[in-house]
Amino acid sequence: MEKGNGIFILYAFAAVLAMTGVGIAVGERSFLGAVISLIALTAVFGMGFKTKKKHRELAELKNAEQ
């Protein structure tokens, strides 16, 4: 694993927690909890994809300079 990929493990862990929150909220019949967990899940996925794009662009920039 590369040094810069540690953040992706944190994003994955946060996404799993948000998915677990959805399951718990559904089990507790909490509509508000499910909505909040889905919003958190969407935010985590968005941040993860944004970070991945940034890393990919930096790698392409490095390759172009060589």
Side-chain angles (χ1 to χ4, degrees):
M1 184 170 73
E2 292 181 26
K3 184 178 178 182
N5 288 340
I7 188 72
F8 295 114
I9 292 173
L10 294 175
Y11 283 136
F13 185 68
V16 168
L17 287 177
M19 288 181 211
T20 303
V22 171
I24 291 171
V26 168
E28 294 290 327
R29 297 179 186 220
S30 171
F31 178 75
L32 182 61
V35 169
I36 291 171
S37 294
L38 284 172
I39 291 171
L41 180 62
T42 304
V44 169
F45 267 90
M47 289 187 303
F49 284 127
K50 185 177 177 180
T51 304
K52 185 176 180 178
K53 180 181 177 185
K54 181 180 169 185
H55 279 264
R56 188 181 309 126
E57 288 174 350
L58 287 174
E60 288 176 1
L61 183 62
K62 282 183 182 179
N63 291 336
E65 290 177 355
Q66 293 178 353

